[in-house]
Amino acid sequence: MDDNKRPLYLPFAGPAILESPLLNKGTGFSEEERIFFNLEGLIPWEIETIEEQVERAYQQYTNFNNDLDKHIYLRNIQDTNETLFYRLVHNHISEMMPIIYTPTVGLACERFSKDYRRNRGLFISYPNKDRIEEMLNNATRQKVKVIVLTDGERILGLGDQGIGGMGIPIGKLSLYTSCGGISPAYCLPITLDVGTDNPHLLEDPMYMGWRHQRIAGQEYNDFVEEFMQAVHRRWPEALIQFEDFAQKNAMPLLERYKDQYCTFNDDIQGTAAVTVGSLLAACKAAKTQLCEQRITFLGAGSAGCGIAEAIIAQMVSEGITEAQARAQVFMVDRWGLLQDSMPNLLPFQQKLTQSAQALAHWQKADENISLLDVVNNAKPTVLIGVSGAPGLFTEEIIRAMHQHCPRPIVFPLSNPTSRVEATPKNILHWTNGEALVATGSPFEPVVVNDITYQIAQCNNSFIFPGIGLGVLSCGASRVSDEMLMASSRALAECSPLGQHGTGSLLPDLEHIQSVSKFIAFAVAKAAIKQGYALPCSDELLQQSIEDNFWKPEYRRYKRTSF
Ligand SMILES: NC(=O)c1ccc[n+]([C@@H]2O[C@H](COP(=O)([O-])OP(=O)(O)OC[C@H]3O[C@@H](n4cnc5c(N)ncnc54)[C@H](O)[C@@H]3O)[C@@H](O)[C@H]2O)c1
Ligand SMILES: O=C(O)C[C@H](O)C(=O)O
Ligand SMILES: [Mg+2]
């Protein structure tokens, strides 16, 4: 117990304290607390330290022999004793991150209604659209500072999961706390329940959401607008992270709200920031610049176009023109390479097309230019997969890329594991260990010719906890492109490969908290520079980051007089 911290005064006693996950300490309550709060007899005799409790919980955890059961077990601790949950995760971060987050969280979303146990967060269902304000007031947290919001329509590469998508905001916020030190008391996951178009869920008798086709168009936009206004009235300073919205809504919602509220879209901007950070580190190790690369994407959706625009911005900052940068970025989607002659492209895709003139000398089979055609003609040095479709980086494509690029950078970023464009094992074998590989989901190290290659996890989880901590520590009112760019550069500075020329592309998860603090500082400095936060000295900013960083330790409780 941290006796140096001032005690927390509680206005109530008895079993209600044990039922409150933010306050519960289980056998961690002291003798004095047990007497003052009428807890005697409600918990076993022994008074335990949190480390003793962690030991028991970890033993129980290891008894489960599949990841989903481990996930359910951990979620149960989270829902009964949050401090213990975060201490357990803190002590075993590398082992438990894939269990509380990607990839296991994907399965948990698919099985959400089947495995549902306890309430967490808010479900704002469309039929209750006139009572959003009341629902926000019902939240179990009063002082909300970070909200992760989904409508469940594009959950990882798993499609529409309806309210099952709630697993994602819960998982993301678990990382805001365990990686970014945001107190769980400030975090609120919210799902907008606007129906589902997933026929399996609509027919599933266990499905717990509003059993209705998704509302769309004006009705949908009005509902989101209603929600944004209400949430802003309730918690005007809260950071709102949009997560796993379908392509048709993700970018328009970002455009609508980014200059109005403190908000960002993690799939578009968080992913862009982590990918640019990883590429900057890779370029530094290879003593080249990003603006010298030719980059091909498979998947021109929210993530793909978000990353592409951030890469272009970085290339321009390195000294080439925007036109030159755009000419080096090739976006491939279902109908092949995006070309300016293509009808029906979305506005954010139209800026990322190649012109007929630029392709005039290309050798290709037909009108629709395939990924293989692009690889053979554009000779990319970087290949990024954000299609959500597995296996599309075939042996032929990877070998073709390797033929003209001795050290190709290949990032199959689609999640979860089942959606990866190619496994690191295959990519490294096809390239004789010469590719630099990073994936969205975690993968085991790969051995080729007796050399072991660690696989970096290029996932926005390296970025959003630091952004949240930075925003909270300086009181930023917006999340700007400059703040995101600052987060990329800060991440690149933390790369062992970028810094020393050897080692892993991204930092070890064991260091994620110091990485988040470093990113937070850079993000807050950028916010201050742009006038989105009040000026303060570097020392005060550092102090604020430390002060805001919550630690999973029990506090002493005192009783207020009733
Ligand atoms: N690693 C990370 O941090 C990270 C972050 C965001 C998204 N992702 C992953 O990226 C994937 C895409 O996410 P998104 O938000 O961009 O989704 P999205 O739906 O906006 O975009 C996916 C795009 O891929 C295209 N596509 C699908 N099948 C294809 C095929 N066979 N050939 C070519 N193109 C195809 C779709 O037409 C669409 O434009 C998901 O699997 C998601 O989990 C990873
Ligand atoms: O959730 C993740 O693991 C990353 C990303 O936000 C995604 O949608 O795939
Ligand atoms: Mg996401």
Side-chain angles (χ1 to χ4, degrees):
M1 194 152 356
D2 185 355
D3 288 334
N4 296 325
K5 268 199 159 170
R6 63 182 172 77
L8 211 60
Y9 284 86
L10 304 186
F12 55 95
I17 297 180
L18 302 179
E19 293 301 322
S20 165
L22 284 172
L23 299 174
N24 187 18
K25 299 195 240 181
T27 50
F29 284 103
S30 67
E31 192 180 343
E32 191 189 38
E33 287 169 333
R34 291 174 188 212
I35 295 168
F36 284 171
F37 290 102
N38 307 344
L39 299 176
E40 280 182 302
L42 297 181
I43 33 184
W45 167 261
E46 196 69 33
I47 295 166
E48 293 182 306
T49 64
I50 195 164
E51 282 301 330
E52 286 167 334
Q53 293 178 321
V54 161
E55 201 175 313
R56 178 183 303 103
Y58 186 62
Q59 274 181 25
Q60 292 178 6
Y61 171 86
T62 50
N63 284 338
F64 293 102
N65 49 23
N66 73 67
D67 290 350
L68 181 68
D69 287 346
K70 287 180 176 173
H71 175 93
I72 293 170
Y73 174 70
L74 290 182
R75 285 278 298 101
N76 182 57
I77 300 184
Q78 185 177 26
D79 287 344
T80 48
N81 180 341
E82 297 217 32
T83 318
L84 177 59
F85 168 78
Y86 284 111
R87 184 65 159 253
L88 178 61
V89 171
H90 174 267
N91 289 7
H92 302 278
I93 183 81
S94 303
E95 180 180 355
M96 292 185 177
M97 186 134 145
I99 304 295
I100 58 172
Y101 183 66
T102 304
T104 313
V105 73
L107 187 54
C109 288
E110 290 179 304
R111 296 187 46 88
F112 189 83
S113 291
K114 289 190 175 62
D115 295 333
Y116 182 84
R117 277 153 169 86
R118 279 176 179 248
N119 66 300
R120 173 164 289 268
L122 283 180
F123 297 89
I124 310 277
S125 298
Y126 184 70
N128 289 340
K129 61 179 183 303
D130 299 330
R131 294 199 297 284
I132 295 179
E133 202 128 343
E134 288 87 331
M135 284 186 281
L136 294 178
N137 285 331
N138 291 342
T140 54
R141 276 105 170 102
Q142 299 305 314
K143 218 170 152 190
V144 172
K145 298 190 182 181
V146 183
I147 290 168
V148 178
L149 178 73
T150 192
D151 71 355
E153 193 167 3
R154 192 292 269 141
I155 292 301
L156 308 176
L158 303 170
D160 185 346
Q161 298 303 323
I163 59 139
M166 181 58 124
I168 295 291
I170 292 175
K172 295 269 174 188
L173 285 164
S174 298
L175 301 201
Y176 263 105
T177 302
S178 37
C179 307
I182 311 294
S183 162
Y186 298 151
C187 296
L188 183 65
I190 303 186
T191 290
L192 297 178
D193 179 10
V194 292
T196 177
D197 293 337
N198 182 332
H200 303 294
L201 294 179
L202 288 170
E203 283 160 22
D204 180 356
M206 292 225 184
Y207 182 61
M208 298 170 92
W210 179 45
R211 202 177 295 273
H212 196 279
Q213 292 288 324
R214 277 183 182 273
I215 54 152
Q218 197 57 44
E219 257 184 324
Y220 175 87
N221 287 333
D222 290 348
F223 182 57
V224 178
E225 176 64 26
E226 242 353 271
F227 169 79
M228 290 301 283
Q229 287 188 19
V231 91
H232 186 66
R233 277 195 300 274
R234 178 77 176 88
W235 297 294
E237 271 130 43
L239 167 67
I240 303 169
Q241 168 169 327
F242 280 69
E243 192 68 53
D244 289 9
F245 282 72
Q247 188 181 105
K248 61 179 185 290
N249 294 318
M251 194 69 88
L253 290 174
L254 175 63
E255 288 302 327
R256 191 170 316 145
Y257 294 122
K258 70 177 184 179
D259 298 323
Q260 218 178 324
Y261 302 118
C262 185
T263 186
F264 73 105
N265 180 301
D266 184 40
D267 300 295
I268 300 172
Q269 299 167 292
T271 314
V274 71
T275 310
V276 170
S278 305
L279 290 174
L280 285 176
C283 288
K284 188 158 182 232
K287 299 192 170 44
T288 109
Q289 284 193 298
L290 191 55
C291 66
E292 294 170 51
Q293 311 304 316
R294 289 177 306 282
I295 301 175
T296 296
F297 284 84
L298 184 70
S302 306
C305 295
I307 303 168
E309 290 296 346
I311 285 176
I312 290 164
Q314 172 62 30
M315 284 176 159
V316 170
S317 79
E318 291 173 4
I320 65 172
T321 67
E322 188 178 332
Q324 278 170 332
R326 287 187 186 279
Q328 288 169 218
V329 174
F330 302 86
M331 311 297 298
V332 180
D333 208 89
R334 288 175 198 273
W335 294 279
L337 178 68
L338 297 198
Q339 302 173 57
D340 56 7
S341 55
M342 282 179 163
N344 305 329
L345 290 181
L346 293 163
F348 61 85
Q349 294 170 325
Q350 283 162 9
K351 294 186 289 176
L352 291 163
T353 55
Q354 294 289 329
S355 68
Q357 195 191 359
L359 307 176
H361 63 284
W362 277 31
Q363 292 184 342
K364 52 193 197 274
D366 63 40
E367 281 291 276
N368 291 350
I369 303 177
S370 70
L371 179 60
L372 184 62
D373 289 331
V374 175
V375 168
N376 282 328
N377 287 280
K379 301 187 174 29
T381 53
V382 179
L383 178 60
I384 297 174
V386 266
S387 62
L392 297 179
F393 290 173
T394 60
E395 181 169 355
E396 189 182 15
I397 287 170
I398 298 298
R399 285 193 188 280
M401 183 176 183
H402 190 212
Q403 217 169 32
H404 60 74
C405 175
R407 300 295 318 271
I409 296 175
V410 186
F411 287 0
L413 298 186
S414 289
N415 295 319
T417 320
S418 61
R419 297 301 190 271
V420 72
E421 283 82 3
T423 62
K425 189 172 171 194
N426 278 340
I427 298 169
L428 283 160
H429 277 99
W430 296 333
T431 57
N432 204 24
E434 288 177 324
L436 179 63
V437 184
T439 49
S441 299
F443 277 87
E444 291 296 319
V446 175
V447 181
V448 181
N449 302 333
D450 293 332
I451 300 174
T452 302
Y453 297 88
Q454 301 296 329
I455 310 302
Q457 191 183 356
C458 180
N459 188 297
N460 46 38
S461 56
F462 268 105
I463 288 289
F464 64 76
I467 290 188
L469 182 61
V471 165
L472 260 60
S473 300
C474 70
S477 60
R478 294 289 179 274
V479 180
S480 66
D481 290 343
E482 287 75 5
M483 289 158 70
L484 289 153
M485 185 73 91
S487 74
S488 294
R489 291 177 183 159
L491 177 64
E493 282 188 56
C494 299
S495 156
L497 182 70
Q499 290 311 74
H500 314 298
T502 60
S504 177
L505 177 60
L506 287 169
D508 198 294
L509 272 182
E510 301 294 325
H511 304 137
I512 185 72
Q513 296 194 339
S514 43
V515 171
S516 295
K517 288 180 190 175
F518 191 71
I519 291 175
F521 185 79
V523 165
K525 289 279 285 179
I528 292 167
K529 189 167 171 201
Q530 286 187 287
Y532 291 131
L534 292 176
C536 81
S537 68
D538 286 1
E539 291 71 28
L540 276 179
L541 185 55
Q542 271 317 351
Q543 192 55 49
S544 175
I545 289 170
E546 291 301 330
D547 293 347
N548 273 288
F549 208 96
W550 180 84
K551 294 186 191 68
E553 292 163 353
Y554 290 141
R555 306 248 322 248
R556 279 177 302 132
Y557 299 157
K558 295 253 175 191
R559 213 167 146 167
T560 48
S561 42
F562 299 103

